[in-house]
Amino acid sequence: MDPVIIVGAGPVGLALALALARQEVPTVVLDEGPGKDEPRPARTVVLREDTAALLERLTGVALGEHGVRWAGWRSLRRKQVMNEVAFEEAGPGAPLHLAQHVLTNALRAAVTDEPLVKVAVDSRLDSIEQERSGVTAHTRGPSATWWRGSYLVGCDGPRSTVRKLQDIRFPGRTAVERHAIAALRAELPWEGQALLHRMPPWRQSGPSAGEVTARPLPDGVWRLDWLLPPGKDLVTPEILVARIRETLAAWTDSSTPVYELLDTGVHTVHHRLARRWRAGRIFLAGDAAHLLGALGTQGLDEGLRDADNLAWKLAVSWHRGPHETLLDSYQAERRGVVAARLRAADQALPLLRGGGGLRQIVPGAARGHDALLTDGHLGHGPLGAPGAYADSPLAAQRLEGEIPVGTQPGSLITDVRVTAEDGSFVQLRDRLGRGALLVVLIAPGTGVWDRKHWVSAGVMPRLAAAVTALPHPAELLVAESYPGAPAHSVLLVRPDGHLVTALSGVRPADLYSAAEAAVGGPVQEEAKAGSGAR
């Protein structure tokens, strides 16, 4: 079986290659560059809890040691504190902020140690051919050649060559927001906390800015973003330096603030969504499929979720034969979630960025607007929360034994401690991304007893037999508790961490039906018909 070809060696492409390798699928990554990233302190990424955990699983690196998990979040409007959020010891739930080149280097190092991943540097894609049995890609450069693959995934950014070669439209909005950016070393009053300051009371140099964001990085470094007004007003170095000085002076009550300027730039946010994310054996992911980023939303987060969603589905098809329902579900699930995120941002933008209007006369409007922005920055609500796949084509039909728990079907699971099959205690999230379904029995009291005392007692033998009989490999785990789940309930979880269903007790028939639905139905029947290119 030919490897999967991944076009693009950014964070999404490298994460996808590592995710496939964990499921024993070989890949070839076509990197049009030299294989290294130049450090840019002002180019940073904010990772939510689930995407940070995904990257730590893939790289084996504690990324928190290379970035800053926010200790808190504070938003101000003029001089008034509108909202404060504290994260307990910057632990779970705290966004992680780090330089993008640090993240990419960690991914590259992990790829170098992975024998199932081959990276071809200085390889620029210029043509693709696909047929029923596979895909052929041609690259130009010092080592121009043809590459043969089973599938091809375009992770090649906003100007995606893969998308253009497949003639896939990429409609949307240009320059939704613009920000002037500076990375600098300075002492600010909010150590370890991120800050959003709306309508700051001091005079602004150059084009007026109604919003300033400060986000901490290691070693006393901060990234500052000033929202720029619509248009193409030039932000000169002189204007940016003046803006830095007056912002720092106001925040530190110092007329001559001390700082070290490390890097600057202007970041323009576009909102676009590819019409199709699949064309036969060719897929799009990350910025090749979507662009977003207004109001604090994070495009890289969504790109990493694309990779996590697609990896296990490609792995099933690579190992067991083409499975069209499963592969089609990638577009249905991921495009639906990103489209909803873009709609939410488009609906909120006129309220948050428009001048005058209702927000000047409606009591509490300013606080409601601040809550919307906080959602985007912290990963909550329609602007920021991880998407759910409630309407997925892989959703199980109504089951007789299905019960409600604290997680809705299609949503990401809550991370809890579980006992693995070898008797060790691990986090549930650590068992994700291996290609297997997870079956979790909720059994209070098991945590205080050695596994050998209960593995052959009660419902365990019957449940173990039901798990063995499932139509897809599955791992049986036991948890002391799970939010909203009664004792002896059974959860079925997809390889990417989304809940399939929760059942009241051991119900082999229901469990089988849900597992079969989660992998798109019987593989064998569809494998015979495999559509290939279409």
Side-chain angles (χ1 to χ4, degrees):
M1 187 76 169
D2 294 316
V4 173
I5 299 172
I6 298 172
V7 183
V12 174
L14 295 173
L16 177 60
L18 289 169
L20 286 168
R22 280 170 62 93
Q23 297 169 71
E24 301 182 349
V25 177
T27 58
V28 172
V29 180
L30 304 182
D31 184 357
E32 67 176 37
K36 61 180 181 180
D37 282 20
E38 294 299 324
R40 284 290 311 276
R43 191 176 187 188
T44 65
V45 296
V46 177
L47 301 174
R48 311 301 186 207
E49 184 181 6
D50 61 305
T51 50
L54 166 66
L55 289 169
E56 290 183 337
R57 287 197 304 272
L58 295 178
T59 62
V61 174
L63 294 176
E65 297 177 2
H66 301 275
V68 171
R69 292 190 186 274
W70 297 350
W73 164 266
R74 176 178 301 191
S75 59
L76 288 77
R77 185 171 183 267
R78 295 191 175 95
K79 295 183 179 182
Q80 180 184 5
V81 176
M82 303 293 290
N83 192 10
E84 288 186 275
V85 177
F87 297 105
E88 292 185 12
E89 299 181 357
L96 173 63
H97 188 213
L98 72 165
Q100 182 163 320
H101 70 269
V102 172
L103 171 59
T104 306
N105 288 342
L107 288 163
R108 287 189 187 279
V111 161
T112 300
D113 294 335
E114 177 48 69
L116 287 176
V117 181
K118 173 182 176 60
V119 179
V121 299
D122 297 318
S123 298
R124 189 179 185 87
L125 180 74
D126 64 3
S127 67
I128 304 173
E129 297 176 3
Q130 70 165 313
E131 60 277 347
R132 186 181 183 87
S133 59
V135 182
T136 306
H138 186 265
T139 56
R140 51 189 171 91
S143 303
T145 188
W146 289 94
W147 299 90
R148 180 66 180 176
S150 53
Y151 298 95
L152 183 146
V153 186
C155 303
D156 49 343
R159 295 180 175 86
S160 171
T161 300
V162 174
R163 190 184 64 240
K164 292 172 182 176
L165 289 174
Q166 295 305 300
D167 196 25
I168 297 174
R169 293 183 58 202
F170 198 39
R173 300 173 60 195
T174 300
V176 176
E177 288 186 349
R178 282 198 316 148
H179 297 262
I181 301 170
L184 50 88
R185 184 174 283 109
E187 289 189 18
L188 295 182
W190 313 285
E191 183 177 358
Q193 296 187 38
L195 172 78
L196 172 67
H197 198 159
R198 301 184 66 206
M199 303 178 69
W202 61 85
R203 180 183 62 84
Q204 295 288 321
S205 299
S208 62
E211 189 174 294
V212 189
T213 307
R215 289 174 279 203
L217 287 162
D219 303 321
V221 176
W222 294 79
R223 169 171 162 168
L224 272 58
D225 292 52
W226 292 266
L227 176 67
L228 298 174
K232 297 182 179 180
D233 295 310
L234 184 64
V235 182
T236 65
E238 294 77 16
I239 288 175
L240 186 54
V241 168
R243 182 161 289 178
I244 291 170
R245 292 178 64 85
E246 66 194 14
T247 300
L248 295 182
W251 283 347
T252 60
D253 294 324
S254 170
S255 59
T256 55
V258 176
Y259 69 94
E260 178 187 359
L261 185 59
L262 304 175
D263 193 16
T264 63
V266 174
H267 175 54
T268 303
V269 176
H270 308 290
H271 279 181
R272 296 188 178 277
L273 186 66
R275 292 288 192 194
R276 293 180 293 145
W277 291 26
R278 182 188 181 196
R281 289 178 174 266
I282 297 172
F283 300 82
L284 300 177
D287 287 352
H290 51 76
L291 293 176
L292 69 163
L295 308 179
T297 58
Q298 297 294 319
L300 179 58
D301 259 0
E302 296 300 345
L304 292 170
R305 290 174 185 139
D306 295 344
D308 199 23
N309 184 291
L310 182 57
W312 73 273
K313 297 172 181 179
L314 284 177
V316 170
S317 295
W318 195 89
H319 287 294
R320 306 180 67 184
H323 200 329
E324 299 308 307
T325 300
L326 187 62
L327 294 176
D328 281 344
S329 73
Y330 166 66
Q331 173 176 307
E333 291 179 348
R334 292 300 308 145
R335 191 179 186 278
V337 164
V338 175
R341 185 91 73 228
L342 288 171
R343 282 195 300 271
D346 285 344
Q347 291 167 2
L349 275 165
L351 295 173
L352 295 168
R353 303 303 189 215
L358 288 176
R359 72 175 181 176
Q360 302 296 327
I361 58 175
V362 177
R367 191 165 295 278
H369 296 165
D370 180 80
L372 274 174
L373 281 168
T374 296
D375 281 351
H377 283 277
L378 298 187
H380 301 155
L383 284 178
Y389 308 139
D391 298 324
S392 168
L394 305 182
Q397 297 297 315
R398 179 65 186 172
L399 303 168
E400 182 181 348
E402 190 169 35
I403 58 171
V405 295
T407 302
Q408 294 291 323
S411 297
L412 275 175
I413 54 163
T414 299
D415 195 24
V416 296
R417 191 179 79 156
V418 296
T419 305
E421 292 181 348
D422 62 1
S424 62
F425 293 116
V426 296
Q427 291 300 121
L428 178 54
R429 188 175 276 154
D430 292 341
R431 312 308 288 182
L432 300 176
R434 300 165 181 262
L437 297 169
L438 303 181
V439 177
V440 185
L441 171 67
I442 310 305
T446 50
V448 299
W449 295 96
D450 191 286
R451 184 175 182 272
K452 65 183 180 182
H453 294 304
W454 48 260
V455 70
S456 60
V459 301
M460 280 296 292
R462 185 164 176 247
L463 179 57
V467 170
T468 302
L470 292 179
H472 186 81
E475 181 180 8
L476 175 56
L477 305 166
V478 180
E480 280 262 353
S481 63
Y482 187 89
H488 305 132
S489 55
V490 175
L491 312 182
L492 179 64
V493 181
R494 297 182 353 172
D496 58 356
H498 288 258
L499 180 68
V500 179
T501 189
L503 301 173
S504 59
V506 179
R507 295 174 174 265
D510 281 354
L511 190 62
Y512 189 98
S513 296
E516 189 174 64
V519 294
V523 175
Q524 296 80 2
E525 294 179 12
E526 295 195 19
K528 295 176 183 176
S531 67
R534 55 182 182 182

